[in-house]
Amino acid sequence: MSGARDWWLMAALLCVGIVAPFLFPALVAQFAFLWLMVVFALSWDVMGGQMGYNSFGNILFFGIGCYTTAVVQRDFGFDYFAGLGAGLGLSGLIGVGAALLIGRAILGLRGHYFAIGTLGLGIAAAEIAGGWHYIGAGAGMVTPVFPGGVDTRNLFFYGLLFALAGSCFIFLRALYQCRFGMAINAIRDNEDKAEAMGLHTLRYKITAWCVAAFFLALAGGLAGNMIGFIDPRDVAFAGATYGVWMVLMAVLGGKGTLWGPVLGAAIFHLVQELFWTYLLGWQRVALGGLIVLIVVFYPQGIMGWLRERRAGHAVRDGEAQA
Amino acid sequence: MIANLELLAGYPVLGLDLILNGLLIGAVFALAAYGMALVWGVMNIINIVQGELVILGGYIAWAAVGAGVPPLLCVPLAAFALGLLGWGLYGTVIRRIIERDLFISILATFGMSILLQQLMNQVFGADVRTVDSGFGTLSLMGGMVTVAQVKLFAFGLALLTGVGLWLFLSRARLGQAIRATAQNPRAARVLGIDTDRTYAATYALNAALCGAAGSLVVMAWTIHPYIGLQYTVRAFMIVIVAGLGNVAGVVFSGLGLGALENLAGFVLGAEFQVAFVFLLMVLVLIVRNLILSRRRSYLR
Amino acid sequence: MSAPILSVENVSKRFGGVVANDAVSLAVPEGAIIGLIGPNGSGKSTLFGSIVGFHPVDGGSVRFRGEEITRYRVPKIARMGLVRTFQQTHIYGQMSCLANMLISIPQRQERFLASFRRPKGEEIERAESLLASVGLWEKRQLAAGELSFGQQKLLEFAMALMCEPRLLLLDEPTAGINPTLINGLVAQLRRANAELGITLLVIEHNMRVIMNLADHLYCMAHGRILAEGDAEAIRADQRVIDAYLGAQ
C-alpha cells in the first residue's frame, strides 16, 4: 500500500539525519533535541494514538531513565562510556519493570480516569525525586563530564539520539503491522468488544506501556547526560513541559498515525525554538496558548487534515465520474 | 519517619493540632471541589485549570490588599473578578470543547492551566505570597493546639458559601436551569432553556467559587504560581470519592482529605506532602476501580 | 438431544429496584438452534449479559460445557468459546473491515509471542471469504465505522464466525437489516450451525424468522421464562399471545 513511499521517506530522513549536523554544525544540539522530541511523540502515540489510552504521565519513565543512568555513572565506578552504556541498559530494564509493576493496576482505569491517574503519577514522581536525598533531592544531579570537546560531545549525543529515534520508528512500524498493532487499535476503537471477543486486553495494554517505557527510559538516560544537569521538576519529571509536549506533538501531527508524531515533533520543535528566540521570557506563556489553540481548532492533526482533504477530493472525483 | 510517629504517639495533642488545622483547610478544598463537580456534572468537562483559578483568586486578593483594600472585602472582589474571567474563558475556549470527547477537554484545560500558571509567574513573580489579614491566633489546651483565627474565618466562610450555593441551585431560577441542563441538555433546550447561557453561568459560577477559595488560601496560607495543579488534583480526588452532586459528601471528603494530608505531611516530612496528595489520588482511583472490577465493572 | 452446552439455573439480576431477570433457567443442547423471544424490556439482553459475564448476577448459576462460569470475566468466557453479538453494533470503527475480521481469530490458545506475527495467508483468505458470504467483500478496505447500520451488523456476525465459537449468542441478528438480505442471513445461520457446528442462542423479534430457524424456543416476559416449547407449542400458547398483546 504505502510501503514503497514509507521506505523512500525513511531513506530521505536517514540522509538528512546524517548530513544535517555537518551542514549546520552550530545547530547540532538543537537537532539532537529534535530527535528527542521525535522519540517523545512516537512513544506517547503507542498508548495515546494507537491504543486510545491518553497518558499524561509517560514522563515518569523519562525521569526514571535520567536518574538511573546518572546513579550508575556516579556509583558504579566505570569510565564515562562504560558507565553510560551500563546506565542506559539498566534504565531500559528499570523503565520496563516499572511499567509492568504500575501497568497492572493503572491500566484497568479507562478514559479520563486513566489520563488523570497518570498525570498524578508523573507529578508524584517529581515530588518524590525532589525530596529524596540519595538522588540529590531538590538540588538535582550533575552528570559526569564528557571526555572531549563540546562539538564532539554534541555530535556524540546527536548520533545516539538519532539512532534511538530511528530504531524507535522502525520498531513501532513493524509492531503496528503485526497482530499487536491491530489488537491495540481494537482496544482503542471498542474495548468492550475486544473483551467480548476474548482478546487478552490487559496483556496488550501492559506490553504497549512497556514499549513506551523502554524508549522513554533510554531517551531519559541520554537526555540527562546531554543536558548535563538533572533537575527533578524541570528536567527529569518535567510534566508541564516535556510531559505535555509529547501529547501535543502527537496531536499536532495526527494521533494514531505512524508519521504524524514525527511531523508534529518537527513542527513543534521549530515553533518552540522560534518562541525561545523571539519571545524571551514570554515563551512559556505562548506555548500554553499554543496548546489551547491546537487542541481547540486542530484536534485532528496534520495527518487527519490531509486525510480529510484527500477524502474530500475522492468524493468530488467520484461525483465527477458519476 | 519512625521518629515522627513516636512523637505523635507520645503527644496525641499534637495530632489534634494537625487534624484541626487540616480540617480547616479541607473546607477550602471542598469549595474548589464543589465547583469542579458542578462543571463536570453540568458540562461533562474535567476542569484541569481549576487549581490555577484558585491561585489566581489568591493573587487578585493579594494585589488588592497591596492596593489598600481591606482583606475581608477581597473575598467578594476575587470571586467577582474570577467570575468575569470564567465568563470570558467560557466564551473563548470552553464553549468550543463542550461537545468534544473528554481527552480534548482535558488537554485544552491543561493547556489553559499552563498558560495561566506561566502568566502568573510572569506578572506576579515566582515568590511565595501571603496576606496578613490582621486576625490573631487562638491558643487551646495551654498552647499545645494553636489555630490562626483567619483559618477559622476561612472555614466558616467556605461553609457559608457552600450553603449559599446549594440554596442557589435548589431555589433560584438560574440554579434550576443549571440542574435541568445537567440532567438532560437536549430536553432542557426543548423546554426553552438557553443551554449556552446556562453553561456560561455555570462556568463563571465555578470560577467565582475558585476565586473565593483562592482569596481564603492567600489569607490563611500561602500561594505560589506553580501550585495550582495540587488544588486541581485535590478537587478531583474529592469529587471521585464523593460522587457528582453530593454536597455533604464533598464537604466530608474535603475535610477528611485536609486532615489526612496534614497528618501525612507531618509523618512523612513536609517535602513529601505533595507527593502524598498525588499518590493518594492515584490510589483512590485504583482502589475504586478494583472494587468495581470485582463486580465485573469499571470506573465510568 | 445431547447434553446441554449451556445451562442457566435460577439466574436473577436486579438493576437498582428493577428486577430484570427473576430466577431464569434454560438449557441449550449442543448443536441446537434455540430461540429466545419476548416483548421489549422482558430481560432477554440482560440475560445475555449475565451469561457472558458482562455484569455480575445476583443469584443462580451459569454453566458452560460443564464448567461453572458464573464468576468469570468476559474475556475468559469468550476464550472458552462463548461469544455474543450486540443489539447495538459493536465493531472497531476506525479499522478496515478486513482488519476487524483478522483481529477476531480465536484467542483460545493465543500465545503471547503470536501477537508479534503478521496475519497468515489462510487467515486472510478465511476473512475474505466470510466477508464475501455476508456481501461485504467489496468494502473490505473501508473503515468499518463508515458502513451502514445493517452492514455493521453483518460485519459483526462475520466477526463472530471468524472467532469460531462453540456457542454463539446473537442479539436480534436481523434487526436493521435490509429485508431482501434476511433470507440469506438465515441461510448463513443454518450453515454455521450445520457445517461449523456452532450452537446458536438467538434473540429475535421477527417471528417468521425465529419460528423457522429455531428447534426450540423460550419466551420471556417481565424477567421470567413464560413458556418453552417448539414453534407450534409457542405459537399456540395463550400466555405468549397475552404477553405480546400486553394483556396481563
Side-chain angles (χ1 to χ4, degrees):
Chain A
M1 219 169 54
S2 60
R5 200 195 54 194
D6 263 20
W7 286 111
W8 278 114
L9 275 170
M10 278 155 69
L13 263 186
L14 185 68
C15 294
V16 170
I18 292 171
V19 172
F22 300 102
L23 277 183
F24 306 98
L27 295 174
V28 174
Q30 274 86 337
F31 286 150
F33 264 101
L34 170 62
W35 295 120
L36 178 65
M37 295 294 148
V38 171
V39 176
F40 278 164
L42 277 172
S43 61
W44 184 84
D45 200 55
V46 181
M47 300 278 296
Q50 301 282 349
M51 203 168 76
Y53 271 67
N54 300 300
S55 163
F56 285 86
N58 273 7
I59 191 71
L60 176 70
F61 304 115
F62 178 78
I64 288 177
C66 283
Y67 276 115
T68 309
T69 306
V71 165
V72 168
Q73 286 174 308
R74 183 188 68 187
D75 295 350
F76 283 32
F78 295 127
D79 71 9
Y80 185 85
F81 294 105
L84 184 63
L88 287 175
L90 196 63
S91 297
L93 276 180
I94 292 186
V96 171
L100 276 175
L101 207 68
I102 309 167
R104 269 202 96 72
I106 202 150
L107 284 163
L109 298 172
R110 292 199 189 175
H112 44 289
Y113 293 102
F114 177 78
I116 293 176
T118 47
L119 178 69
L121 271 183
I123 296 170
E127 292 297 327
I128 291 172
W132 190 7
H133 290 286
Y134 176 63
I135 52 172
M141 281 180 84
V142 178
T143 53
V145 180
F146 182 81
V150 177
D151 289 342
T152 330
R153 180 178 183 276
N154 282 344
L155 210 57
F156 175 71
F157 284 111
Y158 173 88
L160 285 181
L161 280 168
F162 177 50
L164 184 66
S167 47
C168 182
F169 182 89
I170 290 169
F171 181 80
L172 292 184
R173 185 173 182 275
L175 199 63
Y176 295 158
Q177 281 173 349
C178 59
R179 291 181 45 75
F180 183 85
M182 275 195 264
I184 58 176
N185 284 168
I187 290 170
R188 170 193 65 196
D189 285 0
N190 194 333
E191 190 167 348
D192 281 339
K193 176 68 175 174
E195 285 191 342
M197 296 301 278
L199 257 62
H200 292 89
T201 46
L202 188 63
R203 188 198 273 177
Y204 285 117
K205 289 193 281 188
I206 292 178
T207 311
W209 183 242
C210 287
V211 169
F214 178 74
F215 284 105
L216 280 172
L218 291 190
L222 288 174
N225 266 274
M226 187 172 65
I227 296 166
F229 167 67
I230 302 169
D231 182 278
R233 294 182 186 86
D234 288 340
V235 176
F237 301 106
T241 51
Y242 300 153
V244 193
W245 292 356
M246 37 179 111
V247 187
L248 190 70
M249 291 183 292
V251 170
L252 175 64
K255 272 175 82 176
T257 60
L258 186 62
W259 285 100
V262 181
L263 197 62
I267 295 176
F268 179 81
H269 189 61
L270 186 72
V271 171
Q272 184 216 338
E273 289 289 332
L274 290 177
F275 279 7
W276 242 253
T277 316
Y278 295 107
L279 295 172
L280 208 67
W282 290 86
Q283 71 273 44
R284 288 175 178 234
V285 181
L287 273 177
L290 186 71
I291 296 176
V292 179
L293 274 182
I294 291 173
V295 174
V296 172
F297 292 104
Y298 304 101
Q300 81 277 41
I302 296 168
M303 296 298 275
W305 176 74
L306 283 176
R307 198 182 304 147
E308 274 167 29
R309 235 177 59 132
R310 204 178 309 145
H313 275 304
V315 169
R316 245 168 284 141
D317 292 349
E319 279 166 2
Q321 279 171 14
Chain B
M1 192 176 129
I2 309 287
N4 288 340
L5 273 176
E6 277 169 3
L7 194 63
L8 210 55
Y11 301 92
V13 71
L14 195 60
L16 193 67
D17 182 78
L18 289 167
I19 290 176
L20 197 59
N21 277 295
L23 287 177
L24 295 182
I25 194 171
V28 180
F29 296 164
L31 206 55
Y34 197 25
M36 177 175 256
L38 197 64
V39 168
W40 192 346
V42 175
M43 307 159 78
N44 199 23
I45 283 179
I46 300 175
N47 194 34
I48 307 289
V49 72
Q50 193 82 350
E52 271 70 26
L53 296 178
V54 171
I55 302 302
L56 188 59
Y59 273 114
I60 286 175
W62 172 78
V65 168
V69 180
L72 285 190
L73 221 65
C74 290
V75 181
L77 185 72
F80 181 72
L82 263 287
L84 276 184
L85 178 74
W87 192 282
L89 285 179
Y90 176 81
T92 46
V93 178
I94 302 293
R95 68 181 305 171
R96 296 176 211 278
I97 57 173
I98 205 161
E99 310 264 297
R100 308 271 195 82
D101 65 278
L102 271 161
F103 168 66
I104 296 291
S105 64
I106 288 178
L107 192 53
T109 49
F110 198 14
M112 286 159 71
S113 129
I114 292 174
L115 180 71
L116 273 186
Q117 190 179 100
Q118 299 295 347
L119 212 57
M120 288 189 287
N121 183 35
Q122 209 62 26
V123 175
F124 300 108
D127 297 327
V128 173
R129 306 283 188 195
T130 186
V131 162
D132 183 13
S133 54
F135 285 107
T137 302
L138 210 62
S139 266
L140 300 170
M141 306 179 111
M144 286 300 282
V145 175
T146 58
V147 176
Q149 282 173 358
V150 63
K151 294 188 183 177
L152 281 174
F153 166 74
F155 180 82
L157 206 60
L159 289 190
L160 210 66
T161 314
V163 171
L165 186 68
W166 181 72
L167 282 176
F168 169 77
L169 284 180
S170 51
R171 299 285 157 78
R173 230 184 130 65
L174 181 59
Q176 287 171 343
I178 288 176
R179 288 191 317 160
T181 311
Q183 281 187 8
N184 189 339
R186 268 169 80 187
R189 218 168 292 149
V190 171
L191 292 174
I193 292 174
D194 182 348
T195 48
D196 192 52
R197 253 194 56 206
T198 313
Y199 288 144
T202 308
Y203 200 79
L205 193 63
N206 167 49
L209 273 179
C210 290
S215 60
L216 295 177
V217 170
V218 78
M219 275 191 261
W221 295 273
T222 57
I223 56 168
H224 182 265
Y226 294 136
I227 59 169
L229 207 52
Q230 297 168 23
Y231 284 87
T232 303
V233 163
R234 286 174 182 131
F236 181 76
M237 186 166 16
I238 292 167
V239 175
I240 301 272
V241 171
L244 296 172
N246 176 358
V247 186
V250 165
V251 172
F252 284 118
S253 14
L255 298 183
L257 174 65
L260 198 62
E261 191 184 297
N262 240 17
L263 274 176
F266 179 77
V267 174
L268 302 171
E271 69 268 37
F272 289 120
Q273 183 169 340
V274 177
F276 172 79
V277 174
F278 284 89
L279 282 182
L280 185 66
M281 190 260 303
V282 177
L283 207 67
V284 164
L285 281 176
I286 290 175
V287 168
R288 282 214 61 171
N289 205 49
L290 275 184
I291 294 170
L292 281 173
S293 87
R294 291 185 53 179
R295 287 192 260 143
R296 290 170 161 183
S297 182
Y298 57 88
L299 211 53
R300 285 171 210 263
Chain C
M1 279 192 197
S2 53
I5 187 171
L6 174 79
S7 59
V8 176
E9 274 159 33
N10 293 317
V11 164
S12 297
K13 175 68 192 170
R14 286 184 301 275
F15 291 110
V18 183
V19 181
N21 286 162
D22 183 11
V24 174
S25 296
L26 57 79
V28 178
E30 178 122 38
I33 301 181
I34 303 295
L36 182 58
I37 61 170
N40 290 325
S42 58
K44 305 184 297 294
S45 293
T46 303
L47 184 62
F48 269 22
S50 301
I51 292 171
V52 301
F54 198 63
H55 48 232
V57 296
D58 296 317
S61 103
V62 181
R63 282 216 304 281
F64 180 61
R65 305 175 75 219
E67 197 173 337
E68 178 78 36
I69 60 166
T70 321
R71 305 258 166 264
Y72 288 3
R73 307 251 166 85
V74 172
K76 183 165 183 191
I77 293 174
R79 284 196 287 275
M80 292 172 69
L82 203 176
V83 167
R84 76 174 293 194
T85 66
F86 293 83
Q87 192 176 348
Q88 294 301 319
T89 58
H90 275 47
I91 41 109
Y92 311 122
Q94 292 182 52
M95 296 164 68
S96 73
C97 293
L98 189 59
N100 267 271
M101 296 294 290
L102 290 174
I103 195 60
S104 302
I105 62 165
Q107 304 284 320
R108 242 159 277 165
Q109 280 101 31
E110 180 85 346
R111 306 286 293 274
F112 178 61
L113 286 176
S115 54
F116 298 105
R117 64 171 171 80
R118 297 194 184 190
K120 289 186 206 144
E122 69 233 45
E123 284 165 9
I124 297 176
E125 266 172 41
R126 217 174 96 72
E128 291 199 340
S129 82
L130 274 172
L131 277 177
S133 73
V134 293
L136 289 175
W137 188 81
E138 286 81 9
K139 314 235 175 204
R140 67 193 181 287
Q141 299 296 357
L142 202 68
E146 292 176 17
L147 299 176
S148 72
F149 177 77
Q151 287 169 330
Q152 289 186 6
K153 202 114 196 181
L154 290 168
L155 175 64
E156 197 183 5
F157 173 62
M159 285 159 71
L161 293 186
M162 190 78 188
C163 194
E164 297 173 0
R166 296 197 168 91
L167 170 61
L168 179 56
L169 309 188
L170 293 161
D171 201 340
E172 298 192 25
T174 69
I177 299 226
N178 184 336
T180 58
L181 295 178
I182 287 182
N183 285 338
L185 183 65
V186 170
Q188 283 282 330
L189 288 174
R190 279 189 196 288
R191 194 152 8 114
N193 179 254
E195 289 172 16
L196 305 175
I198 300 173
T199 309
L200 298 174
L201 176 59
V202 188
I203 293 178
E204 188 52 69
H205 277 307
N206 187 328
M207 285 304 144
R208 190 178 57 79
V209 166
I210 195 70
M211 293 288 170
N212 254 319
L213 187 66
D215 314 323
H216 192 84
L217 288 141
Y218 287 88
C219 177
M220 284 184 78
H222 301 290
R224 292 201 197 97
I225 299 284
L226 197 63
E228 64 168 301
D230 60 16
E232 282 307 313
I234 289 288
R235 230 185 303 231
D237 197 308
Q238 190 57 42
R239 288 168 303 178
V240 176
I241 297 166
D242 287 346
Y244 268 94
L245 296 178
Q248 270 207 340

